[in-house]
């Protein structure tokens, strides 16, 4: 397959919401799990369902049916989308000059409503429904709630749209910044066929309530409209007359329908504030844990539900405490695919799944119910600890569970234990369990879990022996240098599938043709530019440059394998002196500072020395070569010794030394290091075979073909190479081409010189910030400051070890 590289950070783009969810189908399956953090075992029966929509916009249960709102893409007889567009327009910069061509593409669908029978998964369109047309607006049903006796309340919102007629485009809103802002809002009560019974226009509701905006709305079981504002909630009758208001400025605007009332999420997400419409007052708070990703209206036996981490939590209607019902992945469901969820009258949960990466969109219906035992006894269960799981690892776990007949991985997402009062409660719980001997089998090494500290304490397994003895890998089967850089004291405690190179690029005529330099070298290069020139960005200040240089050199200052720190050195004192030369604060101009175009303009004008460089493919070098007039040096960030660049690693995992089945754990971890069959997007693979294939394909040229399928020749009789796209930088068009051997050689030379991984440690950074405040204020010397940092960091490391 052809290698594709995205230089997304260099492109200026305006995007319209296409909302195209999808993916392929799989046979129905049944899976079960027993909760590691409490809760019953749940089984998911998953069936494919036919739903002809490109995007699901709302879902609810009413009676024995699911009602689904979505956008339907239809073709005209000429093969063109009747509700769609695909075009290219030019966008002007703040100086009035054209910055480049921005592509708007996507599909705007016809709003439609469907009724689905959960027993069969079949959906039929409500033919009596038709959206109210809004001139200059794109309409969608953004909320559905039961109205009683089989009726529905549907909220139609029309947002400002672009009109591409006549070769150009006109905008229906006031300006481009209001793209996607509702220009019309209409609640409509519908019968079982979708025909309108009544309606309530709430377009001007904010003015009626005397507030800047209405941030959320829902209907309760008595057809009362609830609207959230910046100061609380307002309750109106079905005619739009205000009944009462409840004041609370600490709400985030999210409303959820409860039995007999409504709940409003607090701004920090730590509680749901319930309101009683009869008493016209707040009736109490429901404490929520973790990061609330999505709230679901009350249904069945539950007042409301919400997603946190990998789990679904619910509060009973009888007023009992909230409980963790099940793990999505434990039930065999990818929570990232859940387009809507509700409970059915028989007590089962129903989740509509929008499959990933499929066009046209594909959907499945998952029916979830408690189950005794399931397949837990048939497979060895391995626990996986995470602090907020990302979609890539979740998908890997689900795929592994579906394919393995010997092992099953159960997720413990400790972020679900965090609260607004204690955002680190999950990590504290994990540390407490590990200290007590309850150690997870596998750990997510990508987030806040302190892998370096765990490795130094002997909690983690060295994975080099597993790689060396693996028949499909061995050291020769992986990119060994990046794995060595990610190790600690010669041991490898985590594996990962991909990496990028973090560096800083400059003009070789100024910074030299090298891959490393010191602070003195950098300061000497700065003198070659005009006075007041910046290093990396026009808006950099003391704190930003200190943080960048600290994290790029973190392994130089912290050695967890030896339990030592190196902040009380002349090198770190020189770093403090260097950072002190920058201003304490820089006033930010939202229209100039921080935009990629102005960063490159500053370099061209001699106002900036370096460009931050993130290399994720072999062809990325040519962008920097073009910007620096033909050649670019990736000198990186100043260090006293070693390369100035570092590796930034992808999602990673670790195995605990106490793992109950290390062979089983490795059978999962090794999947990160195996060859990949798909195209590469945005990162170098760690698997050597895939890495070499990526390098070869990056140099492959595709040729322009004529109408006969023959290679087109230019006026000199030479084959015309197919362009790989154009990047617009500061009014300059950079034509991308297949990577040359010289460009690949430059990337490989840089790769072979790197010996460290970009690190982060927020606790160490907070210590550095606190201690340097007095130094930057002129109250302490660099030597005193370095000693203070050293003392506090050593104390911190001793506590961790």
């Amino acid at each position: 397959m052809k290698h594709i590289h995205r230089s997304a950070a260099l492109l200026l783009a305006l995007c319209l919401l296409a909302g195209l969810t999808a993916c392929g189908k799989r046979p129905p399956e049944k899976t079960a799990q027993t909760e590691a953090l409490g809760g019953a075992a749940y089984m998911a029966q998953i069936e494919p369902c036919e739903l002809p929509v490109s995007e699901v916009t709302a879902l609810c249960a009413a009676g024995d049916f699911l009602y689904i709102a979505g956008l339907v893409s239809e073709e005209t007889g000429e093969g063109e989308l009747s509700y769609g567009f695909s075009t290219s327009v030019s966008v002007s910069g703040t100086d009035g000059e054209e910055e480049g061509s921005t592509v708007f593409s996507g599909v705007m669908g016809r709003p439609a409503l469907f009724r689905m029978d959960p027993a069969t998964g079949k959906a039929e369109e409500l033919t009596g429904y038709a959206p109210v047309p809004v001139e200059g607006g794109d309409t969608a049903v953004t909320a559905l709630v039961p109205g009683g006796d089989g009726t529905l309340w549907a909220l139609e919102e029309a947002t400002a749209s672009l009109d591409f007629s006549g070769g150009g485009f006109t905008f229906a809103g006031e300006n481009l910044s209001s793209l996607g802002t509702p220009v019309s809002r209409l609640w409509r009560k519908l019968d079982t066929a979708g025909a309108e019974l009544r309606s309530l226009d709430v377009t001007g509701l904010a003015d009626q309530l005397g507030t800047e905006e209405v941030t959320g709305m829902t209907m309760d079981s008595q057809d009362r409209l609830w609207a959230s504002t910046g100061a609380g909630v307002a309750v109106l009758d079905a005619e739009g007359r205000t009944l009462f208001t409840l004041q609370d400025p600490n709400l985030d605007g999210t409303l959820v329908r409860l039995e007999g009332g409504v709940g409003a999420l607090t701004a920090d997400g730590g509680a749901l504030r319930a309101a009683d419409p009869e008493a016209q007052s707040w009736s109490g708070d429901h404490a929520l844990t973790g990061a609330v990703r999505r709230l679901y209206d009350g249904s069945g036996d539950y007042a409301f539900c919400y997603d946190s981490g990998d789990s679904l939590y619910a509060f009973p209607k009888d007023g009992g405490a909230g409980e963790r019902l099940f793990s999505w992945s434990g039930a065999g469901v990818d929570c990232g695919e859940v387009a809507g969820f509700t409970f059915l009258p028989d007590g089962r949960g129903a989740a509509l799944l929008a499959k990933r990466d499929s066009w046209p969109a594909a959907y499945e219906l998952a029916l979830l119910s408690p189950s005794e035992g399931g397949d837990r006894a048939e497979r060895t269960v391995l626990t996986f600890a995470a602090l907020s799981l990302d979609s890539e690892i979740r998908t890997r776990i689900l795929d592994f569970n579906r394919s393995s007949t010997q092992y099953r991985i159960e997720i413990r997402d400790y972020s679900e234990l965090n609260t607004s009062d204690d955002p680190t409660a999950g990590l504290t719980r994990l540390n407490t369990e590990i200290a007590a001997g309850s150690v997870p089998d596998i750990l997510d090494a990508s987030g806040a879990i302190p892998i370096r500290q765990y490795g130094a304490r002997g909690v983690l397994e060295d994975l080099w022996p597993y790689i060396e003895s693996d028949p499909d890998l061995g050291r020769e089967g992986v990119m060994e240098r990046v794995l060595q850089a990610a190790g600690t004291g010669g041991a490898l405690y985590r594996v990962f599938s991909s990496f990028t190179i973090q560096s800083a690029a400059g003009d070789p005529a100024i910074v030299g043709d090298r891959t490393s330099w010191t602070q003195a070298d950098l300061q000497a290069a700065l003198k070659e530019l005009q006075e007041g020139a910046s290093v990396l960005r026009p808006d950099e200040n003391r704190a930003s440059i200190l943080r960048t240089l600290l994290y790029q050199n973190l392994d130089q200052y912290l050695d967890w394998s030896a339990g030592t720190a190196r902040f009380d050195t002349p090198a770190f004192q020189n770093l403090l002196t260097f950072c002190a030369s920058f201003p304490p604060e820089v006033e930010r101009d939202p229209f100039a500072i921080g935009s990629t175009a102005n960063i490159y303009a500053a370099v061209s004008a001699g106002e900036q020395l370096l460009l931050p460089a993130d290399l994720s493919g072999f062809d990325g070098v040519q962008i920097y070569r073009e910007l620096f007039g033909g050649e670019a040096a990736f000198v990186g960030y100043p260090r006293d010794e070693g390369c100035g660049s570092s590796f930034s690693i992808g999602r990673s995992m670790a195995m605990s030394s106490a793992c109950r089945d290390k062979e089983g754990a490795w059978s999962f971890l090794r999947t990160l290091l195996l060859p990949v069959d798909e195209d590469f997007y945005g990162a170098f693979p760690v698997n050597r075979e895939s890495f070499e294939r990526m390098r070869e394909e990056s140099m492959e040229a595709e040729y322009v073909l004529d109408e006969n399928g023959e290679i087109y020749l230019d006026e000199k009789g030479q084959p015309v190479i197919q362009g790989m796209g154009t990047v617009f930088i500061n009014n300059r068009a950079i034509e991308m081409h297949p990577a040359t051997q010289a460009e690949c050689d430059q990337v490989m030379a840089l790769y072979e010189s790197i010996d460290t991984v970009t690190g982060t440690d927020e606790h160490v950074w907070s210590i550095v910030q606190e201690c340097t405040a007095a130094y930057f204020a002129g109250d302490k010397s660099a030597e005193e400051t370095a000693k203070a940092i050293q003392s506090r960091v050593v104390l911190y490391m001793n506590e961790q070890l």
Side-chain angles (χ1 to χ4, degrees):
M1 295 184 179
K2 186 65 179 174
H3 163 65
I4 301 174
H5 172 61
R6 294 177 179 173
S7 300
L10 304 177
L11 296 175
L12 174 65
L14 297 175
C15 300
L16 295 179
L17 178 62
L20 306 179
T21 55
C23 101
K25 300 180 180 179
R26 65 175 185 271
E29 66 174 86
K30 292 184 178 180
T31 58
Q33 57 89 38
T34 299
E35 298 305 325
L37 299 181
Y42 264 72
M43 175 181 290
Q45 180 175 335
I46 302 176
E47 304 282 354
C49 56
E50 294 185 4
L51 191 62
V53 299
S54 60
E55 179 186 3
V56 171
T57 57
L59 176 147
C60 75
D64 295 327
F65 295 97
L66 294 176
Y67 289 87
I68 301 164
L71 300 175
V72 177
S73 303
E74 295 183 337
E75 292 187 356
T76 65
E78 299 177 353
E80 296 180 354
L81 293 170
S82 59
Y83 282 82
F85 59 86
S86 180
T87 191
S88 178
V89 297
S90 295
V91 179
S92 296
T94 55
D95 57 0
E97 297 183 6
E98 184 179 293
E99 288 187 347
S101 181
T102 300
V103 176
F104 291 85
S105 62
V107 176
M108 305 303 296
R110 168 179 63 85
L113 298 179
F114 296 85
R115 178 171 50 238
M116 178 181 289
D117 183 352
T120 64
K122 293 183 178 180
E124 60 175 342
E125 185 172 353
L126 301 186
T127 56
Y129 172 74
V132 176
V134 177
E135 183 177 357
D138 296 319
T139 300
V141 174
T142 59
L144 280 179
V145 293
D149 299 326
T151 61
L152 293 172
W153 277 104
L155 174 60
E156 288 183 4
E157 290 190 316
T159 55
S161 63
L162 293 172
D163 179 9
F164 292 94
S165 59
F169 78 89
T170 58
F171 183 56
E174 296 179 359
N175 50 62
L176 281 176
S177 65
S178 63
L179 188 64
T181 302
V183 294
S184 172
R185 285 173 164 172
L186 181 68
W187 279 99
R188 304 175 69 196
K189 192 170 188 179
L190 311 174
D191 65 15
T192 55
E196 181 180 301
L197 299 173
R198 62 190 304 182
S199 66
L200 178 62
D201 190 339
V202 291
T203 303
L205 185 57
D207 291 336
Q208 177 183 332
L209 298 176
T211 185
E212 290 187 5
E213 63 176 337
V214 172
T215 53
M217 287 185 288
T218 190
M219 285 283 185
D220 69 14
S221 57
Q222 302 300 315
D223 288 351
R224 290 173 293 226
L225 171 65
W226 294 68
S228 60
T229 68
V233 297
V235 184
L236 299 84
D237 64 17
E239 304 300 327
R241 296 183 291 263
T242 302
L243 298 175
F244 63 93
T245 59
L246 298 176
Q247 301 300 313
D248 191 336
N250 298 314
L251 304 179
D252 80 339
T254 304
L255 299 178
V256 63
R257 172 172 159 153
L258 309 178
E259 182 66 23
V262 162
L265 190 67
T266 55
D268 61 6
L272 188 85
R273 187 146 299 160
D276 182 347
E278 308 308 327
Q280 298 188 1
S281 65
W282 300 113
S283 58
D285 287 353
H286 300 286
L288 311 181
T289 60
V292 178
R293 290 189 295 105
R294 188 169 179 178
L295 285 167
Y296 301 105
D297 287 346
S299 59
D301 296 328
Y302 298 101
F304 71 98
C305 307
Y306 69 96
D307 284 330
S308 177
D310 185 56
S311 300
L312 182 85
Y313 288 78
F315 280 78
K317 285 184 177 178
D318 61 12
E323 57 182 319
R324 180 177 186 258
L325 286 187
F326 57 79
S327 158
W328 285 108
S329 62
V333 174
D334 184 343
C335 63
E337 295 180 345
V338 176
F341 175 82
T342 188
F343 281 100
L344 301 173
D346 62 9
R348 292 180 299 169
L352 183 66
L353 310 180
K355 304 306 297 172
R356 296 182 186 272
D357 305 325
S358 176
W359 176 252
Y363 297 90
E364 292 177 341
L365 180 64
L367 299 178
L368 301 103
S369 55
S371 173
E372 294 295 332
D375 68 350
R376 182 183 176 88
E378 301 173 6
R379 294 191 274 178
T380 301
V381 175
L382 301 170
T383 55
F384 184 98
L387 284 170
S388 186
L389 200 65
D390 85 327
S391 60
E392 177 189 337
I393 292 183
R394 184 190 304 115
T395 299
R396 286 185 179 274
I397 291 174
L398 286 165
D399 290 344
F400 180 83
N401 286 345
R402 290 166 185 153
S403 62
S404 176
T405 59
Q406 292 182 271
Y407 305 101
R408 177 176 185 77
I409 296 175
E410 289 185 354
I411 296 172
R412 298 178 181 178
D413 189 342
Y414 284 82
S415 69
E416 297 171 17
L417 303 176
N418 295 340
T419 66
S420 57
D421 294 331
D422 186 1
T424 62
L427 179 57
T428 301
R429 171 74 171 271
L430 175 59
N431 285 329
T432 300
E433 291 182 359
I434 289 176
S438 179
V439 185
D441 299 302
I442 308 171
L443 298 92
D444 179 4
S446 309
I449 293 180
I451 294 300
R452 285 183 173 88
Q453 292 91 314
Y454 285 177
R457 288 162 51 186
V459 173
L460 303 179
E461 188 84 352
D462 181 6
L463 298 177
W464 273 126
Y466 295 86
I467 294 175
E468 293 166 349
S469 61
D470 193 296
D472 297 318
L473 295 171
R475 286 185 180 251
E476 67 280 0
V478 296
M479 300 303 293
E480 188 174 357
R481 187 169 189 87
V482 66
L483 291 174
Q484 288 175 330
T488 302
L492 178 64
Y493 295 124
R494 53 183 170 173
V495 290
F496 41 92
S497 62
S498 63
F499 65 96
T500 61
I501 294 176
Q502 302 291 314
S503 186
D507 185 346
I510 298 175
V511 303
D513 187 10
R514 51 188 170 182
T515 58
S516 63
W517 59 346
T518 65
Q519 293 173 30
D521 295 330
L522 186 151
Q523 290 173 319
L526 267 178
K527 294 179 181 178
E528 298 293 322
L529 304 181
Q530 58 183 275
E531 185 177 352
S534 63
V535 177
L536 288 166
R537 298 180 63 87
D539 60 343
E540 62 197 10
N541 55 38
R542 293 171 181 171
S544 65
I545 200 73
L546 176 60
R547 183 183 179 95
T548 297
L549 296 181
L550 173 69
Y551 280 169
Q552 287 293 329
N553 296 280
L554 193 60
D555 285 343
Q556 181 179 343
Y557 302 122
L558 297 176
D559 186 345
W560 285 102
S561 62
T564 59
R566 306 187 190 94
F567 287 96
D568 56 345
T569 62
F572 187 74
Q573 294 176 36
N574 291 337
L575 173 64
L576 294 179
T577 303
F578 174 67
C579 293
S581 66
F582 292 87
E585 294 293 340
V586 175
E587 184 178 350
R588 294 178 179 269
D589 181 348
F591 296 102
I593 295 176
S595 72
T596 55
N598 280 278
I599 290 176
Y600 299 117
V603 169
S604 299
E607 299 171 355
Q608 183 172 310
L609 179 64
L610 301 172
L611 287 175
D614 182 356
L615 295 178
S616 54
F618 291 94
D619 57 352
V621 171
Q622 58 196 255
I623 297 175
Y624 298 95
R625 286 188 168 191
E626 177 71 21
L627 291 170
F628 287 110
E631 295 294 335
F634 294 92
V635 293
Y637 301 88
R639 292 181 64 181
D640 283 353
E641 56 184 31
C643 181
S645 303
S646 62
F647 295 119
S648 177
I649 63 177
R651 307 305 298 182
S652 58
M653 291 181 278
M655 183 196 306
S656 71
S657 301
C659 177
R660 72 193 74 183
D661 193 317
K662 295 179 181 179
E663 180 181 347
W666 177 247
S667 69
F668 174 60
L669 294 182
R670 70 189 297 270
T671 63
L672 289 168
L673 302 176
L674 294 177
V676 291
D677 296 326
E678 61 211 41
D679 292 342
F680 309 120
Y681 292 94
F684 297 105
V686 173
N687 179 269
R688 185 175 295 276
E689 176 187 327
S690 298
F691 183 91
E692 294 299 340
R693 188 170 73 247
M694 178 186 189
R695 175 162 51 172
E696 292 172 1
E697 292 180 349
S698 70
M699 292 189 287
E700 291 179 0
E702 292 185 355
Y703 296 95
V704 176
L705 303 179
D706 61 21
E707 64 274 10
N708 298 318
E710 302 293 332
I711 295 178
Y712 184 82
L713 304 179
D714 62 17
E715 63 275 7
K716 297 181 180 179
Q718 298 298 314
V720 177
I721 297 177
Q722 179 74 49
M724 297 179 62
T726 303
V727 176
F728 290 92
I729 301 293
N730 193 39
N731 297 325
R732 292 171 60 185
I734 300 177
E735 299 292 337
M736 302 296 292
H737 53 72
T740 65
Q741 186 63 54
E743 289 166 352
C744 288
D745 290 345
Q746 186 173 13
V747 172
M748 290 308 302
L750 183 60
Y751 168 84
E752 294 295 345
S753 66
I754 298 174
D755 58 4
T756 188
V757 169
T758 306
T760 59
D761 193 314
E762 290 302 311
H763 191 87
V764 170
W765 169 239
S766 66
I767 291 174
V768 171
Q769 273 190 303
E770 292 172 12
C771 293
T772 54
Y775 168 67
F776 289 143
D779 297 330
K780 286 189 176 182
S781 68
E783 182 179 2
E784 291 172 325
T785 303
K787 288 182 178 179
I789 294 173
Q790 173 75 6
S791 177
R792 290 185 56 181
V793 171
V794 168
L795 178 61
Y796 160 67
M797 295 180 74
N798 289 338
E799 291 173 348
Q800 297 299 304
L801 299 174

